[in-house]
Amino acid sequence: MSSSERKLHINAFLTGTGHHEASWRYPGTSPERGLDIRHYQKLAQTAERGLFDSLFLADGYAGRSAGKLEPFTQLSALAAVTEHIGLIATVGTTYNEPFHVARKFASLDHISGGRAGWNIVTTGTESTAFNFGLDAHPDHGLRYEYAEEFVEVTKQLWDSWEDDALVFDKEVGVQFDQGKVHEIHFKGSRYSIKGPLNIPRPPQGYPVLVQAGSSESGKELAAKTAEVIFTAQQTIEEAQAFYADVKSRLAKYGRTPDQLHILPGLSPILADTEAEAREIEEELSALINTESAVKRLSERVGIDLSGYPLDGPIPYHLLPGIDAINGRKGRYQLVVDLALRENLSILQLTRRLAGARGHITFTGTPLQLADLIEDWFRHGAADGFNLMPQLYPNGLDAFVDKVVPELQNRGLFRTAYEGTTLRENLGLARPAAVRPVRTVEAGA
């Protein structure tokens, strides 16, 4: 695809009141609507009015994931009030079973008419282990080894039904051709699954596969399996390096660069003038609970910072190093690099992370934001963006009403949806079903 034909892909990362950690305290926001499906339905419809490719719901099983709706249930409700926009959910591989995940995503893809996407994570929160009967969180490398096998068996379960297995022959009395529904007999290092799945193959073949890890293991898993990457980069230079690195890994898996879209997180505060946007930013900063912010920063860098001066630096000599981190390795490195590069104090660093937890933040006008998006898009840093407004719903409204038209005027963004499925709108091929070869053990 030529540079003139290439178009941005934009995902909306939905959350209750916004991605700034103090958004729930900002005047005019309604934190009680975090469990109100009508709030999310309106956000979904706004994003679809803006012709976004998709919307995304994060998830977890401990800590800051408390108080959120379960994403499969939530996305099914959003599917009912939208027609085109993709519906992506985080589902972790470490604390789930492939059969359940395959069945739920197939169901969501059928419910939505082919708009489902799976954000594959290994789960980086160590305390999650205690909610699933484990004494410790599995090692980082082992989690990614499990994840690769998890994705493979899930694909095989989706492929256990051939596309034309359903016949509904009323005259003969046959609903589906049993010869086109196959046991998979998968046996790996962790999973042993007979199959078949108990629901027909998803309309998209597979839901769009998304990955969010930026560690070495995460980038390799993404190059092998992902079709979209959600990533966090602070500068265009860092984004360009990540973009080139991941895209360069695709060839060894028989893939081409256009089969994987890289979408850095972008967390804006928008207003008609830069001064007005700065005023909103200052109001939000004043609402941050400093004690809680230092606690979150401590979790990210792996040491307790509560006894250190807020106006002083992180004690870099005490940091555990990335090899000792068993959670989000990529995010740990991003935070440390940011603090070092800009010589930030502990307090300044908490302020920088408050807007979007390490994703790039922006404060200014719609025209200025369109300039930034175009710069990153045209200069090998992104295929689009994972939009994370610091305030909902106003930030999403402003982007759809003022930034999207500017991007369209520049020829960077669609003026109509290309198709009816998420794959079609992302320009991704529908995967053909692969029949696994069953190996018979000697003496069987």
Side-chain angles (χ1 to χ4, degrees):
M1 183 178 293
S2 70
S3 59
S4 61
E5 296 174 325
R6 184 168 166 256
K7 294 291 188 288
L8 282 159
H9 297 290
I10 299 178
N11 173 81
F13 186 163
L14 298 191
T15 189
T17 56
H19 284 275
H20 195 285
E21 65 182 52
S23 62
W24 70 277
R25 300 181 67 190
Y26 191 77
T29 60
S30 303
E32 67 276 5
R33 299 197 69 191
L35 298 174
D36 184 350
I37 192 60
R38 293 167 297 182
H39 168 66
Y40 295 98
Q41 287 176 328
K42 186 174 181 180
L43 294 180
Q45 290 170 331
T46 299
E48 186 167 75
R49 178 167 59 83
L51 303 177
F52 286 22
D53 294 80
S54 53
L55 57 85
F56 163 60
L57 297 174
D59 196 30
Y61 313 110
R64 290 188 294 276
S65 298
K68 293 182 179 179
L69 296 170
E70 189 281 316
F72 279 112
T73 310
Q74 188 173 353
L75 288 178
S76 294
L78 300 186
V81 298
T82 56
E83 295 180 5
H84 301 284
I85 196 164
L87 307 164
I88 302 173
T90 291
V91 177
T93 55
T94 307
Y95 299 101
N96 278 291
E97 290 295 327
F99 192 94
H100 285 145
V101 171
R103 184 187 188 197
K104 289 176 180 178
F105 270 115
S107 297
L108 180 61
D109 210 43
H110 282 287
I111 288 169
S112 64
R115 294 186 282 139
W118 174 19
N119 180 39
I120 304 161
V121 302
T122 68
T123 304
T125 307
E126 295 201 51
S127 60
T128 301
F130 309 135
N131 290 334
F132 289 85
L134 300 181
D135 295 326
H137 196 39
D139 179 72
H140 183 273
L142 188 61
R143 296 201 311 273
Y144 274 94
E145 181 183 323
Y146 289 164
E148 188 171 332
E149 187 174 306
F150 192 113
V151 173
E152 174 58 29
V153 68
T154 305
K155 287 181 178 180
Q156 290 191 24
L157 285 167
W158 287 326
D159 287 344
S160 63
W161 286 65
E162 296 184 32
D163 287 321
D164 57 352
L166 291 175
V167 293
F168 296 121
D169 189 328
K170 293 183 178 180
E171 197 170 308
V172 178
V174 174
Q175 295 192 55
F176 61 89
D177 185 341
Q178 294 189 16
K180 295 184 177 182
V181 181
H182 309 278
E183 296 175 354
I184 65 171
H185 295 280
F186 181 93
K187 192 165 185 62
S189 61
R190 186 177 192 192
Y191 302 106
S192 179
I193 298 174
K194 179 182 178 183
L197 196 60
N198 60 349
I199 183 172
R201 195 166 191 252
Q204 294 185 105
Y206 308 153
V208 171
L209 302 179
V210 185
Q211 216 272 329
S214 294
S215 66
E216 189 63 24
S217 299
K219 288 186 285 189
E220 200 62 26
L221 180 64
K224 185 174 183 179
T225 66
E227 296 165 302
V228 174
I229 296 181
F230 293 151
T231 183
Q233 311 294 335
Q234 280 286 315
T235 68
I236 189 171
E237 293 80 13
E238 289 176 349
Q240 287 168 328
F242 179 88
Y243 188 96
D245 180 6
V246 176
K247 295 270 185 172
S248 72
R249 300 173 188 236
L250 295 171
K252 64 183 172 184
Y253 297 114
R255 306 180 66 198
T256 57
D258 60 349
Q259 293 177 315
L260 175 64
H261 301 312
I262 297 178
L263 309 184
L266 174 59
S267 187
I269 297 174
L270 291 170
D272 290 335
T273 68
E274 187 174 346
E276 290 175 307
R278 294 290 174 197
E279 184 177 340
I280 296 171
E281 181 182 50
E282 291 172 6
E283 290 174 354
L284 282 167
S285 292
L287 296 172
I288 296 171
N289 182 313
T290 301
E291 182 180 350
S292 298
V294 172
K295 182 179 179 181
R296 283 189 288 274
L297 179 58
S298 298
E299 293 171 356
R300 289 186 177 117
V301 299
I303 59 172
D304 184 2
L305 299 171
S306 59
Y308 292 88
L310 290 175
D311 58 355
I314 289 175
Y316 297 103
H317 64 289
L318 296 178
L319 295 180
I322 193 168
D323 290 340
I325 298 297
N326 194 30
R328 298 181 175 93
K329 288 181 180 286
R331 194 59 53 88
Y332 166 86
Q333 195 63 58
L334 182 149
V335 170
V336 174
D337 290 346
L338 172 62
L340 280 168
R341 182 176 59 249
E342 301 189 16
N343 193 28
L344 299 177
S345 69
I346 291 175
L347 182 62
Q348 289 171 327
L349 187 54
T350 61
R351 296 294 188 260
R352 285 295 302 275
L353 296 175
R357 306 172 300 284
H359 297 85
I360 185 173
T361 55
F362 170 87
T363 303
T365 68
L367 185 61
Q368 290 171 332
L369 182 56
D371 289 340
L372 181 150
I373 290 172
E374 181 171 13
D375 188 28
W376 282 47
F377 180 63
R378 291 199 186 279
H379 294 98
D383 295 309
F385 289 90
N386 183 19
L387 186 70
M388 305 167 60
Q390 295 190 38
L391 288 169
Y392 269 119
N394 294 354
L396 181 62
D397 291 336
F399 190 93
V400 168
D401 293 335
K402 298 180 179 180
V403 181
V404 166
E406 180 61 29
L407 296 174
Q408 291 170 328
N409 289 339
R410 300 182 189 195
L412 298 172
F413 194 57
R414 65 169 61 91
T415 55
Y417 281 108
E418 293 84 357
T420 60
T421 71
L422 178 54
R423 287 189 170 279
E424 289 170 341
N425 291 325
L426 288 170
L428 298 171
R430 184 180 187 273
V434 177
R435 298 269 81 79
V437 178
R438 183 184 178 188
T439 57
V440 180
E441 298 179 6

